[in-house]
Amino acid sequence: MAVRVIPVDPFDLVIFGGTGDLARRKILPGLYLRFLSGQMTADSRIIGAARADLTEEAFRQSVRESIAEFVPKPKQDEAVISAFLGQIGYVTIDAKGEGGWPALKAMMRPGMVRAFYFSVAPALFGDIAERLHLHGVADGESRIVVEKPFGRDLASARALNEVLAQHFKESQIYRIDHYLGKETVQNLMAVRFANILFEPIWKAEYIDHVQITVAETVDVAGRGAYYDKSGAMRDMVQNHMMQLLCLIAMEPPYHFDPNAVRDEKLKVIRALDAVKPEDIVRGQYRATIDKGGDSYAVHSENPETRTESYIALKVNISNWRWKGTPFYLRTGKKLRARSSEIAITFREPPHSIFDDHTGWRENVLVIRLQPNEGMEMMVMIKEPGPGGMRLTQVPLDMSFADALGSEANDVPDAYERLIMDVIRGNQTLFMRGDEVEAAWAWADPIIQGWEARGDRPQLYDAGSSGPEDALMLMHRDGRRWRDIR
Ligand code: NAD
């Protein structure tokens, strides 16, 4: 199956923080790959903007290095890299000063899509937004892209929204959640709304529960001081996992249109119940003798830290479709395996005509985000061979890499896709301001609750599946987590 590439309109894209880690690892290599595929046309331009006093040539050299480091070798084509670098400029700008802005303005070309990627700390969003206008760099059609974290609570998210709204309309603001750019996450919408098969049974009557897992093997070494102010709830649940939950739970939008989709997601967030303290398990990894390494407290550089590197929650949605179907979310660092998936467990058939129930299991639809993006449907079949009617469960497995063949390698990664969506002016896969605020309005009381109670996270062994209490969260309800593999 060929991956179709439709070129986007020519653009001027300015990356504030163009010398930073995110630009080096994701944004610039991603743009190179879009150029290689022909999606970014030869008359588009990328301009790095950062505090470092660099010449254009020095910046181009650093882009060359990041391509060498972060683009797969077979995709590094010297002629294409040279052509790509020829379209890159640089301007030294301090977001808090007035220097550099007139030079940036002079680089903007009329008639091009104009986009500004704020790949800097959120504290600088206001300064940059203001100066883009003050110096006449942005116009009423320009787009801005902002990165996570979008606030650390409702008040700070609101403040950020207000600062941006002073200079840009909501239709110009692209809040990135790179989870929404993942191929499988979009496939979730295709599966739900492009097939008749699933939607009629996509409700509490037929679905027993949903599990959303984002398990990581990495620790927080090197960025512990930052992470310690955040924790798993702020870093993963309020944004990425909430978005996944919304895509599973939302009503069919009337059209695949940015505001129609985001309206439906917002309704889900507003229908979330407050989470009870007994439905929350927080954990912190500790070093183990056999696996070595350091504990979270060492990595966080705060011996007294109560920040969670793991969280599991039982979430209920109070609406007609989902009343009675809990959503269990869990995410953590330093776990047994790197694995992200959504598992939808269906209820048992209302009546069994078979005597033998030994191999009996429920149907489960598993949507794998990583590794090996794809879908799997666990179904019951007859165990092969003679010996009567014995049942067994087998997976109907669809790995996207297998289904799409070698073309799967050409599927753009989340950042590539999302940046192209910005140029196309399509906000469907970006979070709207009210969505972000609603998600914080749900998360804030949960965080405030454990802070007020002085809860300490339960320690779990590095390399394990997480704290014991998380197992109990499911056992209590007669259910169990899927293995983290
Ligand atoms: P970084 O510290 O590596 O880079 C920061 C960039 O901002 C540098 O280019 C620096 O020159 C520039 N900068 C700093 N102060 C400036 C000023 N006053 N004026 C102009 N430029 C200034 O940070 P990063 O890791 O690239 O992250 C950038 C943003 O993206 C942050 O908000 C971060 O939370 C977010 N983010 C990063 C990642 C990641 O993987 N690195 C992932 C998700 C979100």
Side-chain angles (χ1 to χ4, degrees), residues 17 19-22 25 50-51 93-95 119-120 122 124 147-149:
T19 57
D21 176 66
L22 182 67
R25 280 191 312 112
R51 260 188 321 190
I93 277 190
D94 185 336
S119 182
V120 293
L124 296 175
E147 266 294 340
K148 88 168 199 184

Side-chain angles (χ1 to χ4, degrees), residues 88-401:
I88 292 187
Y90 183 79
V91 49
T92 304
I93 277 190
D94 185 336
K96 292 179 175 296
E98 309 310 327
W101 295 96
L104 183 60
K105 184 182 178 187
M107 290 164 120
M108 298 288 104
R109 297 167 301 165
M112 300 285 152
V113 172
R114 210 173 279 186
F116 302 96
Y117 201 127
F118 292 16
S119 182
V120 293
L124 296 175
F125 289 0
D127 295 304
I128 296 176
E130 190 181 331
R131 286 182 174 78
L132 281 173
H133 277 274
L134 196 68
H135 294 276
V137 186
D139 59 24
E141 299 302 316
S142 301
R143 291 147 205 181
I144 60 168
V145 186
V146 295
E147 266 294 340
K148 88 168 199 184
F150 201 84
R152 66 183 317 277
D153 53 20
L154 177 57
S156 52
R158 256 193 201 139
L160 278 180
N161 275 337
E162 278 164 16
V163 148
L164 296 179
Q166 282 171 17
H167 304 287
F168 294 94
K169 300 187 288 270
E170 182 62 35
S171 59
Q172 296 177 278
I173 305 172
Y174 291 73
R175 293 175 194 78
I176 284 227
D177 184 322
H178 69 273
Y179 267 60
L180 288 178
K182 287 181 186 286
E183 187 75 3
T184 330
V185 173
Q186 292 169 72
N187 245 314
L188 186 56
M189 284 189 275
V191 163
R192 282 197 61 192
F193 303 129
N195 297 287
I196 191 69
L197 205 58
F198 296 106
E199 202 47 29
I201 54 168
W202 208 259
K203 50 181 153 182
E205 201 181 337
Y206 295 101
I207 295 180
D208 177 71
H209 73 278
V210 176
Q211 296 184 22
I212 306 178
T213 301
V214 178
E216 298 179 285
T217 50
V218 290
D219 55 32
V220 302
R223 57 184 208 110
Y226 159 79
Y227 188 89
D228 205 48
K229 295 193 192 74
S230 164
M233 182 72 181
R234 289 189 171 98
D235 191 48
M236 292 300 299
V237 178
Q238 181 274 343
N239 39 38
H240 307 313
M241 298 183 83
M242 182 56 58
Q243 289 294 323
L244 299 181
L245 180 148
C246 284
L247 295 178
I248 302 163
M250 72 182 184
E251 295 300 315
Y254 75 91
H255 189 246
F256 191 60
D257 155 275
N259 278 329
V261 171
R262 297 185 301 176
D263 285 345
E264 296 305 336
K265 288 196 290 169
L266 180 62
K267 285 186 212 162
V268 174
I269 303 174
R270 290 196 172 144
L272 297 176
D273 285 352
V275 181
K276 299 191 209 98
E278 62 268 30
D279 290 340
I280 305 167
V281 177
R282 294 165 67 236
Q284 221 181 60
Y285 62 81
R286 66 176 162 207
T288 53
I289 294 166
D290 52 333
K291 297 215 173 63
D294 280 319
S295 66
Y296 176 81
V298 173
H299 287 150
S300 75
E301 300 164 21
N302 172 8
E304 298 302 316
T305 178
R306 292 186 181 185
T307 302
E308 75 285 355
S309 61
Y310 175 101
I311 188 165
L313 302 150
K314 176 180 170 184
V315 178
N316 291 305
I317 306 174
S318 273
N319 64 17
W320 274 41
R321 186 187 282 266
W322 295 114
K323 192 75 186 170
T325 296
F327 284 61
Y328 298 92
L329 317 183
R330 67 178 160 163
T331 180
K333 303 229 175 268
K334 209 69 188 149
L335 294 175
R336 174 178 295 154
R338 175 170 175 260
S339 151
S340 300
E341 64 167 39
I342 299 163
I344 294 151
T345 301
F346 291 86
R347 295 192 192 280
E348 289 195 4
H351 167 70
S352 170
I353 62 169
F354 304 106
D355 295 331
D356 178 28
H357 267 214
T358 40
W360 191 274
R361 302 284 293 272
E362 311 94 343
N363 295 130
V364 186
L365 174 65
V366 183
I367 296 146
R368 286 190 309 266
L369 274 57
Q370 63 191 23
N372 188 17
E373 287 195 63
M375 285 180 18
E376 195 175 271
M377 181 83 197
M378 305 300 293
V379 293
M380 299 301 299
I381 61 160
K382 176 190 167 299
E383 208 175 274
M389 192 59 158
R390 288 194 309 272
L391 300 171
T392 186
Q393 194 177 47
V394 293
L396 292 179
D397 196 345
M398 188 181 120
S399 148
F400 292 149

Side-chain angles (χ1 to χ4, degrees), residues 22-76:
L22 182 67
R24 269 176 37 72
R25 280 191 312 112
K26 289 285 179 190
I27 306 172
L28 290 159
L31 283 162
Y32 163 75
L33 287 170
R34 292 298 86 211
F35 183 69
L36 177 70
S37 77
Q39 196 167 22
M40 171 181 161
T41 57
D43 46 358
S44 292
R45 197 187 293 156
I46 299 161
I47 299 156
R51 260 188 321 190
D53 191 10
L54 293 179
T55 60
E56 280 200 337
E57 208 30 61
F59 182 64
R60 286 194 192 117
Q61 181 55 31
S62 77
V63 177
R64 180 184 281 283
E65 285 159 16
S66 69
I67 292 171
E69 192 173 351
F70 297 107
V71 169
K73 286 279 176 291
K75 299 207 168 179
Q76 296 184 19

